[in-house]
Amino acid sequence: MPTNEPASEYVQPRVSPYRLAAHLTSAFVIYCGILWTALSVVVPEPPNGSLSWVQGAAKVRKLAHPVGVLVGITAFSGAFVAGNDAGHAYNSFPKMGDSWIPDDIFSMEPLTRNFFENTSTVQLNHRILATTTLMSVGGLWLAARKIDMHPAIKSLVGSVLGMTALQVTLGISTLLTYVPVSLASAHQAGALTLLTLVILLAHTVRKPSPALLKSLASMPKSKA
């Protein structure tokens, strides 16, 4: 009869959350670089039509860049959730168990370890970042409604908001259902989709070339 495999740390394979986060981040950076380069080849100049639209794009750019950074940080924090199996703890929302903030979020020494290895802290961080991202994207959408800009930019801002809401919904659903593979995979795919839309938005509102700005400035203004 076959003998049982002796108990060891290799029976259940685990990946270091630090290595997982580094691997995910490098993959996202490479993907974003390739996507940006491809977009620059296909669309060498941002959409334009008037100097007013270019000025509107500049206003959106100031808001979109911080939002993009926040999206990236939130995705990065998700790697630590996966690496620490934090999704299997506190499978409730909006509270974490019976409390809003667990008592053991700073139980590790040194203090910085909690943000990367403490299951409670890692999940709390991801919740806060995801909620902040959703609110920030919502603020971007509200601000963009008052700005005169190219229709393509308006469409992208709306798409980013919709995808952010869907991604948060997927994250909550994954948590409440104890992390089934199907929902967890959809949540990871959602992160990449959201990042793609953010890159598209950043590329669309990028600063046009001096030649394009000069040609737009020389265009006669239409009379109302």
Side-chain angles (χ1 to χ4, degrees), residues 163-208:
M163 189 61 226
T164 304
L166 176 59
Q167 177 67 349
V168 171
T169 302
L170 281 171
I172 295 172
S173 301
T174 302
L175 184 68
L176 295 179
T177 53
Y178 297 88
V179 198
V181 174
S182 56
L183 278 178
S185 299
H187 188 50
Q188 291 179 344
L192 184 61
T193 303
L194 177 57
L195 188 62
T196 300
L197 289 172
V198 169
I199 292 296
L200 282 171
L201 177 60
H203 192 270
T204 305
V205 299
R206 72 192 188 281
K207 188 176 181 179

Side-chain angles (χ1 to χ4, degrees), residues 9 14-27 76 79-80 82-84 116-117:
E9 60 180 316
R14 296 182 62 86
V15 178
S16 163
Y18 297 99
R19 294 189 179 96
L20 183 62
H23 186 56
L24 177 70
T25 302
S26 61
F76 176 74
F80 285 95
N84 288 284
F116 306 104
E117 300 178 29

Side-chain angles (χ1 to χ4, degrees), residues 90-176:
Y90 302 106
N91 298 98
S92 58
F93 191 87
K95 285 188 174 183
M96 298 180 69
D98 296 326
S99 61
W100 292 99
I101 301 177
D103 297 330
D104 60 342
I105 58 172
F106 296 129
S107 60
M108 290 184 173
E109 295 291 342
L111 184 66
T112 52
R113 281 187 61 198
N114 292 283
F115 296 97
F116 306 104
E117 300 178 29
N118 187 322
T119 299
S120 300
T121 313
V122 166
Q123 191 186 123
L124 178 63
N125 284 346
H126 196 57
R127 289 181 182 222
I128 293 173
L129 285 168
T131 305
T132 305
T133 299
L134 180 59
M135 294 174 63
S136 299
V137 174
L140 170 63
W141 179 77
L142 287 173
R145 293 181 63 188
K146 304 175 183 179
I147 300 175
D148 183 25
M149 69 185 84
H150 194 281
I153 300 176
K154 289 185 178 181
S155 178
L156 275 172
V157 171
S159 298
V160 170
L161 176 61
M163 189 61 226
T164 304
L166 176 59
Q167 177 67 349
V168 171
T169 302
L170 281 171
I172 295 172
S173 301
T174 302
L175 184 68
L176 295 179

